Amino acid sequence: FVRPQRVTYSIDMLGPSQFRLGKEVFVREDLQLENARGFKLECSHFYNKKFVTTNLGDLSQLSTKQLKVICNDHSIDIRGCVEKTDVINLIRSKLGPDKQSAVDCAPCIVYLHGNCGCRVDSLDALELCLLYGFSLFSVDLSGSGLSEGEYISLGHYEQEDVRCILEYLKESSLVSSIVLWGRSMGAATSLLYSSQNPGDISAIILDSPFSDLYTLSGEVAQQMKLGIPQWIISSGFSLVMQMIRRSIRQRANFDLYAVAPIEHVQDCNIPGIFIHGESDDFVSPKHSLSLYEKYGDNRKEILLVKGDHNSPRPVEAYNYISLFIHRYVLTEKLREHHPEPLRVFGCSSTTKDLDCFYCKQLKGVDHSSQWPYNVVFGVGKDSIKLLTPFTEVSSQNITGVSYGDEILTMLGDYSFL
């Protein structure tokens, strides 16, 4: 639990530090933050290049890399500069008041990976975030990836990593509001933090969260035995759990009883969406279902998809997340640019040559009125299979819609989950 196989990777796996998506240019800024325990966290912030402000009053708040972006845009030669203050003074001397301009800040999605993950996992969410006009902040949580720390804590200490990240982002001139997108351990961390820090987060996206670590530990112990003799398991489950609890406390210095999102989820007062694999045999779907039931805000949704705990999420999941973001996160200004939710159709022979999959819209269909509010099992060519707390499994026909051959090809691989 507290020392899974650690992911090692090269920075090159995060892609280029500057790249183009459609007509916009984006940058990736790599940085280190120090958490409350003194561990250095390796982080990356992806954002639109135009987010870097040339409002001279804000220059001191920008990073060195952001200052270099301004200099490149205005052809300012900084080869003679030694300190950051030298760069700031040079920019101020070259750009008069008439050239000052500030770009509006935008929402930021903070991606929190699972117990065996790292910040590379955030690339699955990158395109959707950037195309909506957001920035994306990814991190190797303490004890994971390239960050410092020997053990993970499944959300207990990771909450402090989130606090450290938010303190940094709140001081940034690039960020207006913050959304947490977590998977597994990252989802539990998101629930724990947002429930105890009202006002810091505007929405949460939760992929495969567990209800409490005690229950999860017991389920894993019964499935995997964890090297515990069979006679011990047979003679007393509570004894097994005490052994696991003692081991975690000795190694990682926290109590597994303390990691219980189910005890705090009723205090969440922000929109939340739950995603879970139907075949997840590590964290069973019942964890998400119990959390969803007790979630404290009525603006909640849940989607069950094909796959297990570590399966890549199907396109339906990203479409549903996109719908959730459009409904609850987009600012009025961003909604002007995106009156309809962005859609993804996956990589197929039809879509592989498109600049981006999310920009391809189904013409003539108001999907916001077709997609159910709570639970979706799949979207077909001419129907939607759904389950909500108020209905049994049923299908809704989409009438009066003419799908072109191209659209049918796109949907062909995703007829039903």
Side-chain angles (χ1 to χ4, degrees):
F1 271 96
V2 295
R3 186 58 280 156
Q5 184 176 358
R6 192 170 191 141
V7 175
T8 58
Y9 62 92
S10 167
I11 293 296
D12 294 339
M13 295 178 66
L14 292 170
S17 58
Q18 181 166 307
F19 56 96
R20 184 178 295 276
L21 190 59
K23 297 180 179 180
E24 302 288 347
V25 177
F26 298 87
V27 294
R28 188 194 81 241
E29 180 183 2
D30 299 323
L31 62 145
Q32 280 188 344
L33 299 177
E34 186 174 310
N35 67 12
R37 294 186 291 162
F39 294 143
K40 289 184 174 60
L41 307 177
E42 299 297 332
C43 311
S44 295
H45 195 183
F46 300 83
Y47 51 84
N48 195 313
K49 188 177 179 181
K50 69 182 182 182
F51 283 3
V52 178
T53 176
T54 56
N55 184 331
L56 302 190
D58 295 330
L59 289 179
S60 60
Q61 299 181 18
L62 300 182
S63 67
T64 301
K65 183 168 183 175
Q66 292 167 350
L67 292 172
K68 289 181 179 179
V69 171
I70 294 175
C71 292
N72 290 335
D73 287 347
H74 294 278
S75 301
I76 300 175
D77 188 353
I78 60 172
R79 284 177 291 182
C81 298
V82 178
E83 302 291 339
K84 179 179 176 180
T85 53
D86 298 334
V87 179
I88 292 175
N89 291 334
L90 182 60
I91 292 174
R92 284 176 171 159
S93 67
K94 296 291 185 179
L95 299 180
D98 58 325
K99 292 186 178 181
Q100 295 181 30
S101 62
V103 178
D104 291 340
C105 52
C108 176
I109 290 184
V110 177
Y111 188 93
L112 307 175
H113 59 75
N115 63 323
C116 295
C118 66
R119 57 181 159 158
V120 177
D121 300 344
S122 68
L123 297 183
D124 291 340
L126 180 62
E127 192 174 12
L128 180 61
C129 295
L130 297 184
L131 288 171
Y132 259 130
F134 301 171
S135 65
L136 176 70
F137 193 96
S138 59
V139 58
D140 288 345
L141 295 166
S142 53
S144 299
L146 306 181
S147 289
E148 295 180 344
E150 185 176 0
Y151 297 108
I152 63 172
S153 64
L154 284 301
H156 181 73
Y157 289 121
E158 285 77 9
Q159 296 177 76
E160 296 306 315
D161 295 347
V162 175
R163 190 182 309 280
C164 172
I165 293 168
L166 264 58
E167 288 175 354
Y168 168 79
L169 292 176
K170 288 176 181 178
E171 295 178 357
S172 169
S173 60
L174 309 181
V175 176
S176 58
S177 60
I178 297 172
V179 175
L180 296 183
W181 183 333
R183 182 153 183 174
S184 188
M185 176 181 74
T189 302
S190 300
L191 278 170
L192 290 169
Y193 184 88
S194 59
S195 63
Q196 299 174 66
N197 297 273
D200 282 1
I201 307 299
S202 60
I204 47 178
I205 301 167
L206 308 163
D207 189 333
S208 311
F210 57 84
S211 58
D212 67 277
L213 190 52
Y214 175 83
T215 300
L216 179 62
S217 300
E219 293 171 351
V220 173
Q222 290 179 323
Q223 292 179 13
M224 303 179 63
K225 307 301 187 289
L226 297 178
I228 301 171
Q230 181 63 41
W231 68 268
I232 295 181
I233 296 177
S234 302
S235 62
F237 179 73
S238 61
L239 177 59
V240 174
M241 293 308 302
Q242 288 303 320
M243 292 173 60
I244 295 175
R245 184 185 186 190
R246 186 181 305 112
S247 174
I248 290 176
R249 182 178 287 167
Q250 290 174 348
R251 297 176 67 191
N253 194 32
F254 74 96
D255 187 352
L256 69 86
Y257 283 27
V259 186
I262 195 69
E263 296 181 2
H264 303 279
V265 69
Q266 71 275 6
D267 296 324
C268 290
N269 57 2
I270 54 177
I273 181 172
F274 295 81
I275 307 291
H276 216 111
E278 292 177 319
S279 303
D280 193 333
D281 57 2
F282 183 70
V283 180
S284 70
K286 68 180 182 182
H287 285 267
S288 277
L289 292 171
S290 61
L291 288 166
Y292 171 81
E293 182 180 355
K294 294 188 176 182
Y295 194 79
D297 198 291
N298 290 328
R299 296 166 296 176
K300 59 181 179 180
E301 305 188 20
I302 186 168
L303 172 66
L304 303 179
V305 299
K306 271 190 175 179
D308 56 29
H309 193 67
N310 297 311
S311 297
R313 293 306 179 223
V315 292
E316 287 83 0
Y318 291 102
N319 280 335
Y320 206 52
I321 291 171
S322 175
L323 186 64
F324 172 83
I325 290 173
H326 190 273
R327 180 177 289 156
Y328 297 119
V329 181
L330 252 61
T331 62
E332 185 175 339
K333 183 173 183 179
L334 290 175
R335 198 179 295 274
E336 293 176 359
H337 296 286
H338 303 286
E340 299 293 333
L342 297 176
R343 298 286 169 180
V344 56
F345 293 105
C347 186
S348 68
S349 58
T350 306
T351 61
K352 65 181 180 181
D353 295 325
L354 297 176
D355 288 338
C356 69
F357 306 144
Y358 298 97
C359 292
K360 190 66 178 177
Q361 304 289 328
L362 287 179
K363 302 301 182 183
V365 184
D366 178 11
H367 284 274
S368 61
S369 65
Q370 298 288 348
W371 284 56
Y373 183 78
N374 287 309
V375 183
V376 178
F377 278 93
V379 177
K381 296 177 182 179
D382 57 3
S383 64
I384 296 177
K385 186 180 181 182
L386 62 101
L387 174 68
T388 75
F390 311 104
T391 67
E392 299 296 331
V393 176
S394 61
S395 296
Q396 293 181 353
N397 292 326
I398 303 176
T399 58
V401 176
S402 176
Y403 290 106
D405 291 338
E406 180 182 359
I407 298 302
L408 289 175
T409 301
M410 289 181 181
L411 292 176
D413 294 335
Y414 311 108
S415 179
F416 277 112
L417 286 174

